[in-house]
Amino acid sequence: MVLCRDRAFYRQTLRLGGFIALQNVVVCFVGLADNVMIGAYSQDALSGVALANQIQFLLQMIMGGVSEGMAVLCSQYWGTRQTRPIRRIMAVACLTAAALCAAFFAAAQLCPTEILGLLSTDMAVVEQGARYMRPVSYSYVFFGVSMVLVGAQRSVENVRVGMASSLTGLVVNIALNWALIFGNLGAPRLGAVGAAVATLIARVAECAVAVGLTYGRDRRLAMSAADLLRPDRELGRDFFRVATPVMLSGASWGVAQAVQTGILGHMGSNAIAANAIASSLFQVISVAGYGVASASAVLTGKAVGAGDHDRLRGYVNSFQLLFLAIGVVTGAALFLVRDVVLRFYNVDAEAMELARSFITVLSVTVVGTCYQCGCLTGVVRGGGNTRFVFYNDLIFMWGLVLPLSLLSAFVFKLSPLVVFMCLKSDQVTKCAVAVWQVNSYHWVRRVTRDPAEPPATAKAR
């Protein structure tokens, strides 16, 4: 196996992946803090917020598709050291994000109870979720714009903007959660509504920091009013050609996660609470894997954009070993810290035991998650082939995971633990596809335009 021997490659991977992982830790701690504080307040509130967050998760996955699709183009342009096309692509991505977030906001305001009722039959839980969902939906547009700005900065290997934005959100969110959920410092005791207000203010603060730093001292990616008011049509077409499969993949994944929550939701509030606890801890512990996967997408795209194909084989082989090593370490860490974290929750004994079992399952499947996610959403997608990942996710999720889980839950009446194992089965089975695809190099596609290339002849190569 040919490995990359360039020390600069490893420094770049660790620096970029480390900063992205640290940012993801901060972002996940916001969700974990919400869950812990809400869980200490009330189990119904915890389950209701968990349901509402599935809708926010769907939006997050779609916004992630906008951001990641944009980053595929931007990182390849960064390989050619062109920043003007990057700003124009950012403008198209910002407008797309704002439109999608506005649609989610309207749905959350008009029919939150009906939407959440699809995920659970427990009306006490649904009511708590609706109380949280209405105020938190005001944060959607701020969240979408922040994701685009931070994603663009990552694509040019600037991770400080995302770090500063996320740290600001963490501090604001935790402080306001403590005040508004429990009624501390003279604030009203608002429970789930307090958590929503805290999240809204934190999202506004995050967006303000991201905008301020983008238009501050380093203005390489500062979009002009003309970029936003008169978006570039040709680059817009490039963006939608590359980003649409990523957005559809994110939407499919987000809907599937909502369906998964709905499956567990129809198995009782204990299963919902256990899933919320396990998922929150998993998101915090697994950040290293997702961080290095994101770094691999940027560095792979940069190499493809620069035409530096000779180094790709060493990059790909080294990345695969890193993905596996991180998966093993992550699984061990997840298993070791589970009991420590569970002590902070005030939930029923059955929910606690289910959460412990769910975390044990995740400590095994995370090895596959780190490998296949890094190979497919990192290397393959970063190299320009965004469609393969979409089709692969579609087949595994809708052709394998959900049918198997629905049969297990509603036909064979199996336990929540067995159903949860079915829901996570694709994280292991996808590895075989990842090994084949990433080592085939069929994914290497240049998606940028040459500086003097006529619009009519530009296409993905």
Side-chain angles (χ1 to χ4, degrees):
M1 177 182 286
V2 178
L3 299 177
C4 179
R5 300 182 181 277
D6 184 358
R7 292 184 180 180
F9 162 76
Y10 293 101
R11 285 196 298 270
Q12 285 176 306
T13 300
L14 293 176
R15 184 185 70 84
L16 191 58
F19 268 104
I20 294 172
L22 188 58
Q23 182 196 344
N24 289 342
V25 167
V26 174
V27 171
C28 290
F29 261 114
V30 172
L32 186 60
D34 272 354
N35 273 346
V36 170
M37 291 187 187
I38 287 291
Y41 177 80
S42 150
Q43 182 170 326
D44 279 347
L46 171 63
S47 299
V49 170
L51 284 184
N53 279 339
Q54 287 303 308
I55 307 304
Q56 189 160 320
F57 179 75
L58 172 58
L59 175 63
Q60 181 178 335
M61 295 303 296
I62 296 174
M63 289 302 100
V66 174
S67 178
E68 291 170 22
M70 171 197 66
V72 172
L73 278 163
C74 292
S75 61
Q76 290 200 16
Y77 274 113
W78 182 238
T80 66
R81 296 296 173 177
Q82 298 183 68
T83 56
R84 183 170 177 76
I86 294 176
R87 291 193 296 272
R88 291 180 169 181
I89 293 165
M90 284 174 62
V92 176
C94 273
L95 294 172
T96 303
L100 290 169
C101 289
F104 271 77
F105 169 77
Q109 290 295 314
L110 294 174
C111 49
T113 303
E114 291 78 4
I115 292 172
L116 298 180
L118 298 174
L119 304 179
S120 176
T121 55
D122 189 329
M123 290 312 297
V125 171
V126 169
E127 182 60 33
Q128 288 287 341
R131 291 182 62 200
Y132 175 85
M133 193 173 177
R134 276 200 173 96
V136 86
S137 65
Y138 286 93
S139 71
Y140 291 169
V141 171
F142 298 102
F143 171 70
V145 172
S146 295
M147 283 201 72
V148 170
L149 295 179
V150 169
Q153 293 287 356
R154 281 184 185 178
S155 70
V156 298
E157 300 176 83
N158 180 3
V159 290
R160 290 184 176 86
V161 172
M163 192 69 238
S165 173
S166 298
L167 275 174
T168 301
L170 174 66
V171 172
V172 172
N173 189 262
I174 290 179
L176 292 178
N177 267 345
W178 181 73
L180 296 174
I181 292 175
F182 302 105
N184 291 313
L185 297 177
R189 182 181 170 91
L190 299 177
V193 174
V197 173
T199 299
L200 168 59
I201 297 173
R203 295 299 190 200
V204 173
E206 286 175 356
C207 188
V209 170
V211 171
L213 292 177
T214 299
Y215 287 86
R217 182 178 300 177
D218 183 357
R219 297 178 55 85
R220 287 177 301 177
L221 301 188
M223 297 172 288
S224 66
D227 291 331
L228 290 166
L229 296 175
R230 294 191 297 276
D232 188 294
R233 292 184 180 180
E234 300 301 330
L235 288 174
R237 279 196 284 268
D238 290 347
F239 166 78
F240 283 111
R241 185 184 66 248
V242 172
T244 296
V246 190
M247 287 189 282
L248 290 175
S249 181
S252 171
W253 189 258
V255 170
Q257 292 303 303
V259 173
Q260 290 185 20
T261 300
I263 292 172
L264 291 172
H266 284 79
M267 302 185 80
S269 64
N270 285 326
I272 299 175
N275 184 48
I277 294 168
S279 297
S280 295
L281 178 59
F282 175 79
Q283 287 171 2
V284 173
I285 299 294
S286 63
V287 291
Y290 289 112
V292 174
S294 296
S296 72
V298 172
L299 296 177
T300 300
K302 181 181 175 183
V304 172
D308 194 5
H309 295 173
D310 293 338
R311 294 189 179 187
L312 273 181
R313 189 169 296 275
Y315 281 16
V316 170
N317 291 337
S318 297
F319 276 136
Q320 289 182 77
L321 291 179
L322 279 173
F323 298 150
L324 284 172
I326 291 170
V328 172
V329 172
T330 301
L334 192 59
F335 184 80
L336 292 173
V337 304
R338 59 176 187 166
D339 290 328
V340 176
V341 173
L342 289 174
R343 291 174 190 163
F344 289 96
Y345 286 92
N346 179 25
V347 295
D348 293 346
E350 183 181 347
M352 185 71 73
E353 189 55 38
L354 266 180
R356 183 177 288 107
S357 299
F358 286 2
I359 294 169
T360 302
V361 171
L362 291 172
S363 69
V364 176
T365 61
V366 72
V367 180
T369 301
C370 288
Y371 179 76
Q372 61 86 12
C373 181
C375 289
L376 297 175
T377 66
V379 174
V380 172
R381 184 180 283 170
N385 188 351
T386 58
R387 293 189 179 187
F388 179 85
V389 180
F390 169 54
Y391 295 141
N392 186 63
D393 285 346
L394 206 63
I395 292 169
F396 272 92
M397 181 56 68
W398 296 96
L400 173 67
V401 170
L402 291 180
L404 183 62
S405 301
L406 287 166
L407 287 172
S408 299
F410 301 117
V411 176
F412 300 114
K413 308 291 184 182
L414 300 178
S415 69
L417 177 58
V418 174
V419 173
F420 187 81
M421 293 172 67
C422 293
L423 290 171
K424 302 303 173 185
S425 61
D426 63 320
Q427 299 305 306
V428 177
T429 52
K430 279 182 183 177
C431 289
V433 175
V435 171
W436 160 69
Q437 178 65 15
V438 79
N439 290 293
S440 71
Y441 293 91
H442 295 157
W443 43 266
V444 179
R445 298 180 183 180
R446 185 180 165 213
V447 293
T448 57
R449 297 175 182 272
D450 294 327
E453 185 176 13
T457 63
K459 60 182 180 181
R461 300 164 184 72

